[in-house]
Amino acid sequence: MGSEELLVTEGLTKDFGGLRAVDHVDLTVHRGEIHGIIGPNGAGKTTLFNLITGYLRPTEGKVTFKGRRIDGLPPHRIVYLGIARTFQIVRPFTELSVLENVLVAWGHRHYGGIGPFLPYASERRHAMEILEEVGLADRAHLPAGTLPIGYQRRLEIARAMALEPELMLLDEPAAGLTEEEIVGLKGLVRGLVERGITVILVEHRMTFVMDICGVITVLDHGRVIAEGTPEEVAHDPAVIEAYLGSADAAG
Amino acid sequence: MTLGYLLTVGTFTGIFMILTLSLNILTGYAKQVSLGHAAFFGIGAYAAAILATKAGLSFWAALPCVVVITTVVGVFLGLPSLRVSHDFLVLSTIGLNFIVGAVFRYFPFFGGSMGIVNIPSPTFFGRPLGTVGYFGLTLVFVVLAVLTSLYFSRTWGRLAMEAAGEDETAAKAMGINVAKFKIYAFAISSAYAGIAGALWAHYVGSVFPENFGFDRSIDILAMLVLGGLGTIRGAIFGAFLLQVLPEALRVIQDYRMLISGAVLAIMMVFQPMGLLGKGSILHVGFQRAWKAVRYGFGRAPGN
Ligand SMILES: Nc1ncnc2c1ncn2[C@@H]1O[C@H](COP(=O)(O)OP(=O)(O)O)[C@@H](O)[C@H]1O
Ligand SMILES: [Mg+2]
């Protein structure tokens, strides 16, 4: 792929006490692609996301976004630079309405200076447009905590969209969804790319990722054990070994 | 009951409405549970008392200074919230009552346990405000507090505070600088408390450390929780109920502390959203009734 390198990690490492959760990961994500990251449970996928988005400081290594070092920056600064994320375990603001949840994210451009003291009413329309796109418009005024899990996953993505990022990190967005909902999710993720958003998609099940990702990186015990197109990865002996060796060989 | 008595009750009720609106920003929106709100109130009252008696400033000249002083001290006292979890914040705010009380009691500058007395009543165009005038003055500040609260509830700041208050991890992912918004909550909340304190000091004419103790903090929190955390109508209604009812039923006045404590405990167990809070029995009931009136009885509106 000849396109621009959007996100690069070099030698990225994270130790939790004696446990090395992420081990010298070199990852290059190009603009415009859907980049899958797969690996068995505990492989270090979520930790990798936390390192990229500023929730954890790397023990070693660096993260570069659009040519700029971002490791060590706090999470909200990284959002401003253009990286949004979702959480593996959904975290809606349960007491706010679905619409307000999206508004909170849309407000990121208003959280500096006197912005917090300006009314949000004029931006409702933008938030509604996003809710329409993810199919939540008719539930806009319900408390977010009352949504079923499938809709809460959509809300996670809607909020990330409202941040208008260049790069979106989705942590197991298909977890807990029915087959039918996964079909809808695929459309949603492809829609993100059409909007010009580059996507990094974490999954521990292979099938979903195989379908929509151009490139896949496979992690095991914190290390990159394979990288390539879905076909290349699926036939890689190291990958087969890692998946057969682990309890959840479901993919 | 004389008119003067009613106006006095009205003035105190107004002061507590400003305090519940103040606490609503901090605990209702930013979810920083404060069991020390009387300390912020006291700082405002003492600042007003000192500026009036020692610096000889008029109520009007002193008021902006009182607001600035309470806001600055409030931000300072809010700093621990950046380091401790919600549970520990509750404990540290209880401590605030005693720290601030001790400062008032043991430093001669604050008058010690003798307090500060002879605080003059404000004048309006050269004439001292009587009971009627002071009630009017308080009412003006209550209206201002309600209007500014209503405005703030429609701003990005309120959304960011609610988000940061509920889930810091998720709020950061929305580009919210959580520390900044917690400090904003302490600052705004303290500013209101400062005004309430100044109104109290100039109305009563004296301030004593025990006016601003832990039991007062419980009162304020009980009012807000009773009315409905996170809502302006709840703050107003709660202050009204807990301030006016004990006056009306004089017998229970001696049991104030017991009532506030019981109200807090009972509401937390049975209606944590308060009488008028979002989703409370009364609020849902009112909404149904309103819909019924609007759409006609028997015809169910969509959803
Ligand atoms: N905050 C933490 N403290 C200690 N160990 C952690 C922490 N977060 C993750 N780990 C450990 O790091 C390893 C990788 O976890 P994680 O990144 O969540 O894996 P994945 O998302 O691929 O399932 C696991 O062994 C996990 O127990
Ligand atoms: Mg994970």
Side-chain angles (χ1 to χ4, degrees):
Chain A
M1 240 186 231
S3 62
E4 180 197 348
E5 293 181 350
L6 190 61
L7 182 88
V8 179
T9 73
E10 291 165 76
L12 201 58
T13 300
K14 181 67 189 178
D15 291 340
F16 292 115
L19 176 82
R20 180 151 286 188
V22 171
D23 190 358
H24 293 93
V25 168
D26 299 316
L27 181 74
T28 301
V29 177
H30 294 92
R31 191 184 283 282
E33 67 187 11
I34 304 180
H35 192 127
I37 296 180
I38 59 171
N41 264 324
K45 306 178 298 290
T46 297
T47 304
L48 180 62
F49 268 16
N50 285 335
L51 290 169
I52 295 171
T53 52
Y55 282 85
L56 290 173
R57 266 169 195 275
T59 308
E60 260 179 65
K62 55 183 187 175
V63 183
T64 317
F65 179 64
K66 294 199 287 178
R68 183 184 161 173
R69 276 290 286 272
I70 59 166
D71 49 277
L73 292 179
H76 69 270
R77 304 270 341 145
I78 291 174
V79 169
Y80 291 136
L81 294 177
I83 302 181
R85 70 169 294 176
T86 66
F87 293 95
Q88 181 175 350
I89 297 163
V90 291
R91 312 187 76 117
F93 302 114
T94 54
E95 292 179 20
L96 297 181
S97 70
V98 170
L99 178 65
E100 283 174 320
N101 265 267
V102 177
L103 277 167
V104 166
W106 185 266
H108 74 284
R109 71 205 72 208
H110 299 284
Y111 293 145
I114 61 153
F117 304 101
L118 300 177
Y120 58 74
S122 57
E123 310 271 347
R124 261 168 212 258
R125 196 172 47 80
H126 297 283
M128 276 312 289
E129 278 169 12
I130 292 169
L131 285 178
E132 260 151 38
E133 199 160 332
V134 303
L136 279 177
D138 52 341
R139 287 160 208 263
H141 298 289
L142 295 178
T146 64
L147 293 181
I149 179 71
Y151 289 108
Q152 293 202 0
R153 290 239 174 258
R154 282 167 179 266
L155 179 58
E156 284 275 316
I157 296 176
R159 291 195 309 194
M161 285 164 73
L163 295 166
E164 300 203 305
E166 288 179 65
L167 176 64
M168 196 186 288
L169 279 57
L170 303 175
D171 197 349
E172 302 205 19
L177 299 194
T178 63
E179 287 304 320
E180 201 183 331
E181 284 171 327
I182 290 179
V183 174
L185 179 67
K186 280 180 195 164
L188 197 57
V189 175
R190 290 202 178 99
L192 295 175
V193 179
E194 275 158 32
R195 279 176 161 238
I197 300 172
T198 306
V199 175
I200 308 181
L201 179 69
V202 154
E203 266 298 327
H204 80 272
R205 293 182 300 182
M206 306 261 281
T207 39
F208 174 50
V209 181
M210 292 287 167
D211 253 23
I212 62 171
C213 293
V215 196
I216 294 176
T217 302
V218 188
L219 283 186
D220 190 28
H221 296 296
R223 275 190 303 270
V224 175
I225 56 164
E227 185 171 279
T229 63
E231 287 79 49
E232 286 165 1
V233 163
H235 298 107
D236 191 302
V239 176
I240 295 166
E241 167 84 35
Y243 268 81
L244 291 180
S246 79
D248 46 9
Chain B
M1 276 196 263
T2 64
L3 178 64
Y5 171 73
L6 286 179
L7 290 174
T8 301
V9 173
T11 302
F12 282 122
T13 305
I15 290 171
F16 278 96
M17 285 174 174
I18 298 172
L19 284 169
T20 49
L21 288 170
S22 158
L23 187 62
N24 187 46
I25 306 266
L26 187 62
T27 304
Y29 295 157
K31 318 243 181 351
Q32 306 294 297
V33 175
S34 169
L35 278 175
H37 218 59
F40 298 88
F41 177 38
I43 290 161
Y46 267 80
I50 287 168
L51 289 171
T53 57
K54 301 204 171 160
L57 288 185
S58 74
F59 173 82
W60 302 104
L63 193 64
C65 308
V66 171
V67 171
V68 170
I69 291 168
T70 18
T71 305
V72 171
V73 179
V75 165
F76 180 73
L77 296 180
L79 291 178
S81 73
L82 305 184
R83 299 209 54 97
V84 301
S85 70
H86 285 214
D87 305 352
F88 280 100
L89 183 71
V90 175
L91 287 183
S92 73
T93 56
I94 293 177
L96 273 189
N97 293 294
F98 299 101
I99 295 167
V100 170
V103 169
F104 291 157
R105 194 164 282 126
Y106 298 122
F107 285 83
F109 180 73
F110 296 106
S113 49
M114 306 302 286
I116 298 172
V117 294
N118 294 327
I119 305 164
S121 184
T123 56
F124 194 62
F125 291 111
R127 289 198 300 164
L129 284 176
T131 316
V132 179
Y134 211 95
F135 175 71
L137 177 75
T138 307
L139 202 59
V140 167
F141 278 106
V142 170
V143 170
L144 282 177
V146 169
L147 291 179
T148 49
S149 288
L150 278 174
Y151 176 80
F152 185 71
S153 73
R154 289 161 166 69
T155 62
W156 295 108
R158 195 270 297 178
L159 285 180
M161 272 180 203
E162 293 222 35
E166 184 177 336
D167 185 343
E168 291 190 16
T169 301
K172 287 174 186 167
M174 304 297 120
I176 293 167
N177 181 346
V178 170
K180 183 170 98 172
F181 280 94
K182 279 190 187 171
I183 290 300
Y184 275 167
F186 274 95
I188 299 171
S189 181
S190 306
Y192 284 98
I195 292 172
L199 285 169
W200 167 283
H202 283 273
Y203 189 61
V204 178
S206 59
V207 291
F208 299 101
E210 56 269 26
N211 295 149
F212 310 103
F214 181 49
D215 49 347
R216 184 73 80 195
S217 294
I218 298 285
D219 278 347
I220 302 168
L221 186 63
M223 289 173 182
L224 182 59
V225 168
L226 177 66
L229 267 174
T231 61
I232 292 160
R233 56 178 186 267
I236 294 297
F237 186 57
F240 176 82
L241 276 187
L242 277 193
Q243 196 60 29
V244 171
L245 277 190
E247 291 290 345
L249 313 168
R250 303 220 80 165
V251 275
I252 61 174
Q253 257 206 50
D254 298 335
Y255 305 99
R256 260 210 92 90
M257 183 73 185
L258 179 70
I259 293 169
S260 293
V263 161
L264 207 49
I266 292 169
M267 293 309 286
M268 278 303 169
V269 175
F270 294 106
Q271 274 274 277
M273 66 295 275
L275 292 179
L276 295 185
K278 278 184 229 166
S280 66
I281 297 168
L282 280 177
H283 183 231
V284 171
F286 284 143
Q287 275 181 331
R288 293 232 177 92
W290 172 237
K291 271 189 187 162
V293 171
R294 246 173 84 181
Y295 298 99
F297 291 92
R299 243 186 327 128
N303 83 60

